[in-house]
């Protein structure tokens, strides 16, 4: 597989029972198949430590604003998603295969945010219920254009906090 950020060849790295595709001696990015990231996204998950030390080529610079192709699927452009409710880390996700691309440094940022999965979800829940529940309701009352924006926010929310998102059960309705 080719690196979606710098075109280098990705190397497979076995981390306990998962195999992560790593851009060694390139941009230092990481490719996770669905659910693999969950195995290493918290600090107590020691398996992830080795992934924080990928050797990079300092001569390579990456355009972080650019949309990237999925390294796994043909002709599929990945979507940008915030990985945390406070929108601090933006990652690329393939809507087709569900894989996630992290740029160098992003796994460390994600691991530093929360100690457990429960904490992560709780933070997302309170953030969304404080901020977005009211805002989304308002947007929906304001007609079509805002409904589309509301829909996009709801989609981000569903990605960050799938266990809290129940289609049609939120105050702001079904998306
Ligand atoms: Zn790369
Ligand atoms: Zn894909």
């Amino acid at each position: 597989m080719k690196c979606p950020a710098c075109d280098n060849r990705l190397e497979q790295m076995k981390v306990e029972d998962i195999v992560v595709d790593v851009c060694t001696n390139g941009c230092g990015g990481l490719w996770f198949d669905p659910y693999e990231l969950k195995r290493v996204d918290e600090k107590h998950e020691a398996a992830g430590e080795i992934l924080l030390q990928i050797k990079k080529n300092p001569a390579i610079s990456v355009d972080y604003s650019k949309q990237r192709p999925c390294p796994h699927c043909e002709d599929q452009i990945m979507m940008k998603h915030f990985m945390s409710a406070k929108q601090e880390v933006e990652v690329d996700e393939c809507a087709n295969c569900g894989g996630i691309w992290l740029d160098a440094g992003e796994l460390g940022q994600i691991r530093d945010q929360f100690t457990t999965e429960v904490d992560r979800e709780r933070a997302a829940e309170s953030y969304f219920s404080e901020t977005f529940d009211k805002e989304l309701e308002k947007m929906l009352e304001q007609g079509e254009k805002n409904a589309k924006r509301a829909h996009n926010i709801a989609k981000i929310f569903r990605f960050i906090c799938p266990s809290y998102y129940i289609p049609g059960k939120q105050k702001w309705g079904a998306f």
Side-chain angles (χ1 to χ4, degrees), residues 70 73 94 97:
C70 174
C73 307
C94 175
C97 66

Side-chain angles (χ1 to χ4, degrees), residues 2-157:
K2 252 183 24 182
C3 172
C6 77
D7 279 350
N8 185 24
R9 234 180 75 94
L10 297 179
E11 242 172 51
Q12 298 206 315
M13 189 183 259
K14 203 170 177 311
V15 180
E16 288 184 355
D17 58 343
I18 61 172
V19 178
V20 182
D21 296 278
V22 176
C23 188
T24 314
N25 294 318
C27 66
L30 304 167
W31 171 254
F32 294 91
D33 290 325
Y35 310 110
E36 287 181 343
L37 180 56
K38 283 268 156 274
R39 305 289 309 279
V40 295
D41 65 349
E42 275 127 34
K43 241 186 188 150
H44 67 94
E45 293 161 325
E49 268 158 39
I50 191 163
L51 294 171
L52 302 177
Q53 296 151 24
I54 306 302
K55 240 181 105 191
K56 284 202 290 179
N57 177 350
I60 286 178
S61 70
V62 168
D63 181 356
Y64 295 105
S65 63
K66 233 170 116 184
Q67 292 204 305
R68 280 87 176 259
C70 174
H72 184 259
C73 307
E74 220 173 299
D75 297 328
Q76 185 77 34
I77 298 295
M78 293 191 282
M79 302 178 296
K80 299 220 179 263
H81 268 306
F82 285 106
M83 200 60 213
S84 70
K86 289 201 169 156
Q87 314 199 345
E88 287 149 336
V89 187
E90 201 180 31
V91 304
D92 297 280
E93 190 207 11
C94 175
N96 188 47
C97 66
I100 292 177
W101 175 258
L102 300 187
D103 288 308
E106 288 180 338
L107 181 63
Q109 284 175 274
I110 292 168
R111 283 167 64 92
D112 281 344
Q113 286 178 327
F114 302 104
T115 24
T116 67
E117 200 58 43
V118 175
D119 288 348
R120 184 186 300 283
E121 282 178 13
R122 205 170 286 152
E125 277 175 29
S126 61
Y127 184 73
F128 275 102
S129 56
E130 277 163 28
T131 313
F132 286 132
D133 273 357
K134 276 194 208 93
E135 210 179 305
L136 284 169
E137 273 178 272
K138 225 187 291 158
M139 279 186 213
L140 286 173
E141 284 164 14
Q142 286 165 352
E144 191 120 328
K145 204 171 128 226
N146 283 308
K148 200 163 170 243
R149 241 190 95 207
H151 181 82
N152 286 337
I153 292 175
K155 265 201 330 222
I156 298 171
F157 174 62

